[in-house]
Amino acid sequence: MEIINLQTKAQLDIYMNPQRQSLLRILEKSKMPRTPKDLSLELGVSASSIQYHLKKLESLGLVYMDHTANIRGITAKYYAPTRVTVRIGGDKEDTLINERVALSRNLVADVLDNTISTIFRPNQEKCCGDVKTGVAHLTSNQAEELQTIIHEYLEKVNTPSKDTEPWEYALMYYRIKEKQ
């Protein structure tokens, strides 16, 4: 899977926009490409605003125009998410650290909010999903192996099909440095 590294303030600003994050989430959950008009109805904003945001996301390589179709004499453009991994540069030490931290907080908070509203709803049929926390004790080789397993598995399941359902996740891990 291709990795897109967000390295500049302009790239981070494009990606951090809440409207664009909503667009990406909708497109990633969809099994079929969507039109700006369809997306505008779902988000409650104008189709021209959606087109503007799609162009910005397209400039980063996060969405692409899948195809066009003639609908009652109008050419409709259908957009789909590019199946990529976005790396926001958490390993970088630069002047954009505050933007990177804010973006990380927002991305994880969105997934957490969706998780809570899905798996902890009262009077709801049993739902699949969970929150797990803990500490794993790994050698350097095991840590690399775990990262490879996660990356390969997620790459294998990142494309929707008629037999699949979307599952959202926020996976975080880091090496704990013991206090000296």
Side-chain angles (χ1 to χ4, degrees):
M1 180 178 340
E2 180 185 352
I3 296 173
I4 295 178
N5 288 302
L6 303 181
Q7 300 193 23
T8 67
K9 182 166 181 6
Q11 290 172 323
L12 285 168
D13 287 346
I14 290 169
Y15 191 68
M16 288 174 74
N17 181 283
Q19 193 76 288
R20 294 182 197 129
Q21 284 299 310
S22 295
L23 273 172
L24 280 172
R25 183 169 276 114
I26 290 169
L27 287 171
E28 288 170 348
K29 291 190 296 188
S30 299
K31 292 186 179 188
M32 305 295 291
R34 310 269 300 266
T35 65
K37 180 173 172 114
D38 179 39
L39 293 164
S40 74
L41 293 172
E42 188 164 340
L43 287 172
V45 297
S46 71
S48 62
S49 176
I50 297 295
Q51 287 175 329
Y52 171 79
H53 291 301
L54 286 170
K55 290 294 178 200
K56 291 289 190 177
L57 292 169
E58 196 173 29
S59 74
L60 292 179
L62 300 175
V63 300
Y64 67 98
M65 188 177 60
D66 184 75
H67 67 281
T68 60
N70 192 330
I71 301 173
R72 293 185 289 276
I74 297 173
T75 301
K77 297 177 180 179
Y78 288 79
Y79 289 86
T82 307
R83 303 297 172 182
V84 297
T85 296
V86 177
R87 192 170 286 154
I88 63 168
D91 59 341
K92 294 192 176 301
E93 293 186 26
D94 61 14
T95 60
L96 301 174
I97 191 69
N98 292 333
E99 287 88 346
R100 296 178 200 286
V101 168
L103 177 56
S104 298
R105 286 184 194 281
N106 290 339
L107 293 172
V108 172
D110 286 346
V111 175
L112 178 61
D113 290 345
N114 291 337
T115 301
I116 289 169
S117 69
T118 300
I119 68 175
F120 298 121
R121 283 189 285 198
N123 305 322
Q124 163 97 13
E125 65 181 69
K126 183 147 174 68
C127 171
C128 295
D130 202 354
V131 176
K132 297 185 183 306
T133 64
V135 175
H137 295 268
L138 308 171
T139 65
S140 294
N141 287 343
Q142 288 171 322
E144 284 182 33
E145 179 184 10
L146 178 60
Q147 290 182 61
T148 299
I149 289 168
I150 292 167
H151 179 78
E152 288 175 355
Y153 186 79
L154 293 176
E155 186 171 330
K156 185 171 72 172
V157 297
N158 76 344
T159 303
S161 73
K162 64 181 175 119
D163 301 326
T164 61
E165 298 177 50
W167 284 65
E168 188 171 42
Y169 64 89
L171 181 63
M172 297 178 283
Y173 52 89
Y174 65 97
R175 182 173 53 88
I176 300 171
K177 295 189 179 198
E178 293 189 43
K179 295 179 182 177
Q180 302 292 329

